[in-house]
Amino acid sequence: MLAISTRFFATKVAAATGVATKFPTGLKISPYAMYIKENFKNDANKKNTEIVKDLSVKWKAMKDSEKNKYSELSKSHNEKRMKDFLKLSTEEQTKLVNEAQEKKADRATRREAKERREKRKQEGRPTVPPNAYALFIKEKLSGTGSENKNKMKEAVEQWKSSSDAQKQKYTVEAKKLKDEYHNTLAIWASEKKEKSSK
């Protein structure tokens, strides 16, 4: 009901002001998400997923009268965010909508890639080897800690400015790994086919 009323409010205001009726995803927050946000506390002894799972169980056990607090918080939060959004110029609104869509698409792409990796791992499929660029970056960042963004930037710039002759070491190694991968993949595929035919 809350999502409908917020959308109705936004559509009415948009119609009155003449601005676009598209809104960025993530503009609204549900009562449940408001509850999680308010009650989430980091715990060194627990994973974040476990904390959220515990809160989810508590939320499901709550009475509707207790959940009303979060419904009201969510409603006022969403209306304020919507009003703030509608105060922006059409260009700013369009920019926010586009950024939200790009983030959503990026999350979907990463989720699909993760699912593909997990499926391949479950199947026992050989891992795709790194290319020349990845080998170079890995070598340059080894022992620096993955958090070192400056080292990463330096390595990327160094790769870009390297000549083909300087890249050859990594290109040869990548080709060797790729050939090994294709051989291993062919063996794996034939073994899989053999098992499925039995």
Side-chain angles (χ1 to χ4, degrees):
M1 181 66 189
L2 175 67
I4 294 167
S5 63
T6 308
R7 212 174 11 241
F8 178 76
F9 166 79
T11 305
K12 285 290 182 192
V13 175
T17 57
V19 294
T21 54
K22 273 195 171 185
F23 304 101
T25 53
L27 191 66
K28 295 176 282 187
I29 187 168
S30 69
Y32 171 70
M34 188 63 76
Y35 166 77
I36 297 290
K37 184 180 175 184
E38 192 172 278
N39 293 282
F40 186 91
K41 291 177 180 67
N42 281 322
D43 184 343
N45 301 321
K46 273 187 174 182
K47 291 181 179 177
N48 289 347
T49 51
E50 290 174 21
I51 297 168
V52 171
K53 193 176 178 182
D54 292 345
L55 288 172
S56 179
V57 170
K58 289 177 185 173
W59 172 260
K60 287 175 185 170
M62 282 172 72
K63 296 176 185 170
D64 286 344
S65 58
E66 294 173 302
K67 290 181 180 180
N68 282 342
K69 170 190 171 185
Y70 299 101
S71 294
E72 288 303 315
L73 284 170
S74 170
K75 184 179 176 183
S76 61
H77 173 272
N78 293 344
E79 286 177 358
K80 183 187 181 307
R81 291 283 306 271
M82 191 61 69
K83 284 177 184 174
D84 290 345
F85 175 75
L86 292 171
K87 286 177 188 173
L88 299 172
S89 69
T90 307
E91 292 79 22
E92 290 172 312
Q93 288 179 7
T94 304
K95 184 183 174 194
L96 286 175
V97 168
N98 291 340
E99 285 174 358
Q101 287 173 341
E102 285 170 14
K103 283 180 186 175
K104 187 177 180 181
D106 184 50
R107 281 194 302 270
T109 302
R110 280 187 275 126
R111 186 172 53 249
E112 287 166 10
K114 185 182 178 188
E115 287 168 3
R116 276 196 308 272
R117 282 194 305 271
E118 286 171 358
K119 187 180 177 186
R120 286 176 176 181
K121 192 175 180 182
Q122 287 171 353
E123 291 176 339
R125 186 185 181 102
T127 307
V128 177
N131 60 17
Y133 171 73
L135 288 170
F136 174 83
I137 295 295
K138 184 179 178 184
E139 181 182 287
K140 295 298 173 187
L141 295 182
S142 65
T144 63
S146 57
E147 294 82 31
N148 195 333
K149 289 181 182 176
N150 290 336
K151 289 278 183 190
M152 180 67 177
K153 284 180 184 176
E154 287 172 19
V156 170
E157 289 305 316
Q158 193 175 348
W159 175 261
K160 286 179 182 176
S161 63
S162 295
S163 66
D164 287 345
Q166 291 169 317
K167 292 177 181 177
Q168 189 176 3
K169 168 187 165 185
Y170 306 99
T171 307
V172 168
E173 180 64 19
K175 188 182 182 315
K176 180 184 163 196
L177 291 172
K178 191 175 181 182
D179 291 342
E180 288 172 5
Y181 165 74
H182 284 299
N183 291 336
T184 309
L185 184 64
I187 293 165
W188 173 82
S190 66
E191 286 174 355
K192 185 181 178 190
K193 189 176 179 181
E194 195 178 303
K195 282 179 188 174
S196 65
S197 64
K198 286 182 181 177

